[in-house]
């Protein structure tokens, strides 16, 4: 159970800042640096001076069995800390406590930023006259003073100078850094003005009652999570209360946990990430979470046989388990990249599902050399294409990842039946009509299948896979150009679907332009210096019905190519597609494709 046990209490602000100085109150290492700007800091100071609430702080007791995070001091406290083992860690309230600690305790200018995000350094002062003035806006009484403690006009004229104690007294400007220890400043102030100046004594007395005592008596609501709170609950709590910032990832939480064992997870991952992404373009968008999920699948299988990679399972990883499996799963991702290369998926842009890398790499790692046989490769390919074309990895996937590792490895080892992903996968013929952009995994998958089965550029005759691999300007374009289709008043849903699209080089597409196929084909033949028979073979490599294209017969082309694509999908998935009733555009007597060197029946996995 992911239960967080907690108590609610109130602590004096002064005592909390003392704990920061002592090192009793620190941050977990996963907390990012504070980012509050000058405006927020002044509002915070004004609120406390009026005893207004500033929100609760949430802390976590240290010393738990499940939670052991590497701590780090609040920014500004590093050189002041006198005790290095914290009793509690701040989960929420970092910006507020950091701002207040730097403004009050360090004696140095606070490093902040202006409203435009420019880095600035500021001291904070309270205008005593403005603070006690009836009806005045307290926000106007909180002054942000530059590092040299002089406010200047744009011409450089000094309009407020508090660069020494005497100048603070002269300006009636109280430095916030003295708010918890005001006695010496008070004596200096009275001495500067003379103890007989009753109006100054009255000003300070009123200021002391209305502002200083409010700071000294200010109570901060604190929610204290006890040390038995599990890591997953800490992660969830942090995400819920920290909605204003970038969400905490499981990688960051695990980084802080491993750091307690003196293992630098981020450095380890950075090195692996450079190796994987540098060598394999298909992995360039891979995230650390995918690596951890794949590793956790193997660790849980090794540990107990109960395969899983949910967040709670990742957070339960021990440092030793990570070190045990990290190298093996890195090799698994390398083997996954090589497998995808064989399926003609060369870069991350064309990768249907980045998430499917998780079970694929785990499967290849678990099988080891058993995955290198042709029989195993064919089975893995069938499982992979069922996942892509059946669009099985678009939602919550952790359960399917676990199924895949167990099902596919046991299927290949001949100790289990067909994997659930293959059984569950289904492709409906009408889906071709709705595949229009790369946003769909199936769209990318069909593009890869055409490359895998030998599609060639209309002009150069080069394999599309070769042009894609070497970074040529290949994209998916219309076979019957859009402008031509619009002039013929064809249905947009038909001419804009994948049935009327294929991979073409940018230069070839410029030659096609908005012309009718019968026109652009002759132009392409002339540019390529080939005859019609050779052009027909190039067209057939894309499963394009040549006769219908040359006659500008869009409807016959549409039906014939749809059947060709569906045939290829069936071969890749190893199962029949679903043909729904009422699909009138799917005819029964279609044009026979030109016999060429490529045929989907002969190039199956």
């Amino acid at each position: 159970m992911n239960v967080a046990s907690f108590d609610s209490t109130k602590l004096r602000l002064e005592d909390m800042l003392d704990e920061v100085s002592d090192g009793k109150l620190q941050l977990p290492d996963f907390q990012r640096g504070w980012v509050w700007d000058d405006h927020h800091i002044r509002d915070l100071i004004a609120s406390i001076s009026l005893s207004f609430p500033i929100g609760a702080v949430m802390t976590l007791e240290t010393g738990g069995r499940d939670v052991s995070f590497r701590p780090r001091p609040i920014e500004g406290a590093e050189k002041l800390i006198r005790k290095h083992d914290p009793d509690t860690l701040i989960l929420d309230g970092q910006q507020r406590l950091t701002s207040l600690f730097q403004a009050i305790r360090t004696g140095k200018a606070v490093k902040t930023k202006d409203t435009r995000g420019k880095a600035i350094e500021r001291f904070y002062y309270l205008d005593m006259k403005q603070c006690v003035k009836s009806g005045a806006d307290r926000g106007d009484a909180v002054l942000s003073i530059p590092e040299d403690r002089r406010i200047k006009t744009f011409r450089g004229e000094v309009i407020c100078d508090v660069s020494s104690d005497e100048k603070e007294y002269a300006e009636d400007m109280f430095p916030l850094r003295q708010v918890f220890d005001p006695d010496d400043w008070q004596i200096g102030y009275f001495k500067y003005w003379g103890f007989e100046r009753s109006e100054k004594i009255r000003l300070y007395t009123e200021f002391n009652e209305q502002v200083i005592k409010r700071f000294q008596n200010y109570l901060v609501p604190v929610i204290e999570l006890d040390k038995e709170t599990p890591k997953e609950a800490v992660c969830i709590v942090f995400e819920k209360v920290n909605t204003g910032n970038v969400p905490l990832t499981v990688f960051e939480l695990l980084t802080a946990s491993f750091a307690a064992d003196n293992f630098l997870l981020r450095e380890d991952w950075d090195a692996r990430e450079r190796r994987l992404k540098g060598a394999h373009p298909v992995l360039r968008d891979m995230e650390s979470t995918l690596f951890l999920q794949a590793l956790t699948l193997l660790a849980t299988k090794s540990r107990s046989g109960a395969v899983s990679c949910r967040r709670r399972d990742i957070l339960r990883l021990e440092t030793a388990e990570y070190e045990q499996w990290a190298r093996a799963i890195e090799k698994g991702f390398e083997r996954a990249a090589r497998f995808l290369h064989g399926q003609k998926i060369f870069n991350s842009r064309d990768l249907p599902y980045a998430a499917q890398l998780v079970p694929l790499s785990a499967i290849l790692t678990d099988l080891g050399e058993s995955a290198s046989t042709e029989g195993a490769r064919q089975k893995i390919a069938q499982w992979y294409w069922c996942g892509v074309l059946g669009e099985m990895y678009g939602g919550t996937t952790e359960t399917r990842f676990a199924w895949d590792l167990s099902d596919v490895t046991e299927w290949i080892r001949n100790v289990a039946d067909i994997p659930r992903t293959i059984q569950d996968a289904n492709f409906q013929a009408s889906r071709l009509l709705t595949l229009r952009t790369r946003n769909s995994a199936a769209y990318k998958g069909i593009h890869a299948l055409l490359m895998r089965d030998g599609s060639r550029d209309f002009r150069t005759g080069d394999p599309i896979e070769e042009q894609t691999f070497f970074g040529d300007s290949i994209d998916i374009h219309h076979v019957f150009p859009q402008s031509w289709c619009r002039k013929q008043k064809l249905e947009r849903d038909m001419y804009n679907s994948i049935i009327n699209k294929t991979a073409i080089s940018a230069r070839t597409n410029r030659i096609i332009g908005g012309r009718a196929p019968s026109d652009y084909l002759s132009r392409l033949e002339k540019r390529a210096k080939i005859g019609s028979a050779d052009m027909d073979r190039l067209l057939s490599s894309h499963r394009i019905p040549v006769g219908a294209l040359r006659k500008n017969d869009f409807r016959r082309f549409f039906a014939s190519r749809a059947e060709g694509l569906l045939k290829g999908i069936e071969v890749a998935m190893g199962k029949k597609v679903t043909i729904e009733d009422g699909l009138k555009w799917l005819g029964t007597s279609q044009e026979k494709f030109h016999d060429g060197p490529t045929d989907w029946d002969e190039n199956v996995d």
Side-chain angles (χ1 to χ4, degrees):
M1 294 291 290
N2 302 317
V3 177
S5 178
F6 65 91
D7 288 318
S8 297
T9 187
K10 290 183 178 181
L11 298 176
R12 293 173 68 237
L13 174 60
E14 183 178 6
D15 293 339
M16 295 188 75
L17 298 184
D18 285 342
E19 290 187 358
V20 171
S21 294
D22 292 339
K24 295 179 181 178
L25 181 60
Q26 296 190 36
L27 296 167
D29 199 44
F30 62 73
Q31 282 273 37
R32 302 173 182 87
W34 73 289
V35 293
W36 264 20
D37 60 29
D38 180 59
H39 174 73
H40 278 93
I41 296 174
R42 286 188 284 112
D43 280 351
L44 176 68
I45 295 168
S47 294
I48 295 174
S49 74
L50 292 166
S51 297
F52 288 174
I54 60 170
V57 171
M58 183 175 290
T59 63
L60 172 68
E61 184 183 11
T62 60
R65 290 172 296 178
D66 187 45
V67 178
S68 180
F69 297 132
R70 183 178 184 176
R72 66 176 177 85
I74 273 182
E75 289 89 341
E78 298 89 348
K79 295 181 179 180
L80 301 177
I81 280 183
R82 296 183 289 276
K83 180 174 181 278
H84 295 283
D85 297 322
D87 297 329
T88 51
L89 301 175
I90 303 165
L91 293 184
D92 186 42
Q94 175 195 8
Q95 289 91 345
R96 284 164 284 167
L97 290 177
T98 301
S99 300
L100 291 168
F101 182 81
Q102 291 192 355
I104 297 172
R105 290 295 198 206
T106 64
K108 297 179 180 180
V110 179
K111 294 181 179 180
T112 179
K113 57 187 178 181
D114 62 19
T115 54
R116 294 170 295 180
K118 180 182 177 182
I120 57 176
E121 296 188 19
R122 290 290 187 266
F123 286 99
Y124 291 93
Y125 281 81
L126 294 163
D127 183 333
M128 294 195 294
K129 291 179 180 177
Q130 190 72 12
C131 283
V132 301
K133 184 178 179 180
S134 177
D137 187 335
R138 183 56 57 86
D140 294 337
V142 181
L143 297 185
S144 169
I145 308 290
E147 186 180 10
D148 65 357
R149 293 194 285 175
R150 293 180 177 91
I151 300 177
K152 302 173 184 177
T153 67
F154 69 93
R155 294 190 181 92
E157 179 185 354
V158 177
I159 57 175
C160 180
D161 187 347
V162 288
S163 58
S164 67
D165 291 348
E166 289 73 18
K167 292 178 180 179
E168 290 172 352
Y169 306 148
E171 295 282 355
D172 298 316
M173 290 289 182
F174 182 84
L176 191 66
R177 66 183 184 274
Q178 300 291 153
V179 74
F180 291 127
D181 188 18
D183 292 348
D184 288 344
W185 195 91
Q186 174 191 341
I187 293 170
Y189 179 76
F190 288 162
K191 185 177 180 180
Y192 176 85
W193 287 108
F195 289 94
E196 71 279 359
R197 291 287 297 270
S198 59
E199 74 275 12
K200 295 298 182 180
I201 295 175
R202 185 168 57 253
L203 171 62
Y204 184 87
T205 301
E206 290 182 24
F207 175 76
N208 182 62
E209 289 294 325
Q210 295 185 32
V211 177
I212 293 178
K213 287 188 176 179
R214 290 178 188 264
F215 268 91
Q216 294 176 343
N217 297 324
Y218 194 86
L219 297 176
V220 180
V222 179
I223 301 171
E224 300 175 328
L225 301 183
D226 71 27
K227 61 185 178 182
E228 301 306 321
T229 303
K231 271 187 279 191
E232 187 183 12
V234 172
C235 188
I236 293 171
V237 166
F238 186 89
E239 289 175 351
K240 297 298 183 185
V241 302
N242 215 32
T243 55
N245 295 315
V246 180
L248 175 70
T249 67
V250 68
F251 177 83
E252 290 168 317
L253 199 57
L254 204 62
T255 297
S257 181
F258 284 6
D261 296 329
N262 294 317
F263 182 83
L264 302 179
L265 177 59
R266 183 168 296 282
E267 290 185 10
D268 181 87
W269 164 244
D270 286 347
R272 298 185 193 280
E273 182 181 35
R274 284 193 298 272
R275 290 194 292 268
L276 289 171
K277 294 185 176 183
H280 306 287
V282 76
L283 302 179
R284 281 182 184 160
D285 291 336
M286 175 183 157
E287 298 177 351
S288 57
T289 300
L290 300 183
F291 188 84
L292 291 176
Q293 285 179 315
L295 187 147
T296 303
L297 286 174
L298 296 171
T300 54
K301 183 179 181 182
S302 173
R303 187 191 307 152
S304 62
V307 182
S308 182
C309 67
R310 296 182 184 275
R311 179 163 59 179
R312 66 170 178 267
D313 303 299
I314 298 174
L315 292 173
R316 289 172 183 167
L317 280 175
E318 300 291 338
T319 305
E321 288 180 308
Y322 178 88
E323 293 181 290
Q324 175 187 352
W325 288 105
R327 181 57 181 158
I329 201 61
E330 181 183 344
K331 289 291 186 184
F333 275 96
E334 292 175 356
R335 297 180 70 186
R338 289 196 292 271
F339 168 84
L340 292 170
H341 189 282
Q343 304 304 308
K344 311 309 177 188
I345 300 171
F346 303 116
N347 56 65
S348 57
R349 178 173 180 253
D350 293 326
L351 181 64
Y353 284 119
Q356 204 173 357
L357 286 167
V358 172
L360 176 59
S361 61
I363 288 165
L364 293 171
T365 302
D366 189 74
L367 287 172
E369 288 302 312
S370 299
S372 62
T373 66
E374 177 60 16
R377 188 189 67 83
Q378 290 183 10
K379 286 184 173 181
I380 293 170
Q382 183 185 359
W383 160 79
Y384 180 79
W385 287 111
C386 281
V388 170
L389 298 167
E391 299 178 288
M392 308 298 289
Y393 297 90
T396 303
T397 51
E398 290 90 346
T399 298
R400 188 165 299 280
F401 291 168
W403 290 351
D404 288 338
L405 177 57
S406 299
D407 290 359
V408 177
T409 54
E410 291 178 6
W411 181 44
I412 289 172
R413 290 174 176 135
N414 298 315
V415 294
D417 294 330
I418 294 174
R420 278 166 278 194
T421 292
I422 295 178
Q423 295 180 41
D424 295 344
N426 179 47
F427 190 92
Q428 294 184 314
S430 62
R431 181 70 174 112
L432 290 177
L433 287 174
T434 58
L435 294 176
R436 303 188 186 100
T437 69
R438 288 180 180 271
N439 293 333
S440 165
Y443 184 98
K444 294 180 181 179
I446 292 172
H447 169 52
L449 285 176
L450 286 167
M451 283 197 293
R452 191 190 70 171
D453 295 312
S455 60
R456 293 174 175 270
D457 186 66
F458 297 168
R459 182 181 60 87
T460 65
D462 291 335
I464 295 296
E465 63 162 288
E466 181 180 303
Q467 292 179 300
T468 301
F469 181 74
F470 286 105
D472 293 345
S473 298
I474 296 294
D475 209 340
I476 301 174
H477 298 286
H478 294 76
V479 180
F480 279 78
Q482 287 191 83
S483 59
W484 185 90
C485 292
R486 285 194 291 266
K487 291 176 183 177
Q488 305 303 312
K489 300 188 184 309
L490 298 174
E491 296 92 333
R492 179 178 174 81
D493 286 349
M494 296 179 71
Y495 72 71
N496 215 28
S497 74
I498 198 170
I499 300 170
N500 186 39
K501 293 181 179 180
T502 200
I504 302 173
S505 70
R507 188 172 178 183
T508 300
N509 191 55
R510 286 194 295 271
I511 296 172
I512 291 173
R515 300 177 178 88
S518 59
D519 183 7
Y520 75 64
L521 287 175
S522 62
R523 290 172 178 264
L524 286 171
E525 288 168 3
K526 184 177 181 180
R527 293 287 184 93
K529 298 181 180 180
I530 60 174
S532 296
D534 288 331
M535 177 58 71
D536 289 351
R537 277 190 285 273
L538 295 178
L539 294 170
S540 293
S541 71
H542 293 255
R543 310 305 293 170
I544 291 174
V546 176
L549 186 68
R550 288 190 177 278
K551 293 177 181 178
N552 300 330
D553 188 342
F554 178 82
R555 296 195 181 277
R556 187 156 64 93
F557 158 85
F558 193 83
S560 295
R561 188 155 196 260
E563 285 200 348
L565 294 178
L566 292 174
K567 181 181 179 182
I569 290 168
E570 287 183 337
V571 170
M573 295 179 69
K575 58 194 304 184
K576 290 288 184 180
V577 301
T578 301
I579 308 293
E580 304 99 309
D581 294 335
L583 294 182
K584 297 178 181 179
W585 47 271
L586 271 179
T588 55
S589 58
Q590 305 302 328
E591 174 181 339
K592 178 174 171 42
F593 291 96
H594 188 287
D595 293 328
T598 60
D599 187 283
W600 286 29
D601 286 326
E602 296 176 0
N603 290 276
V604 301
D605 285 309

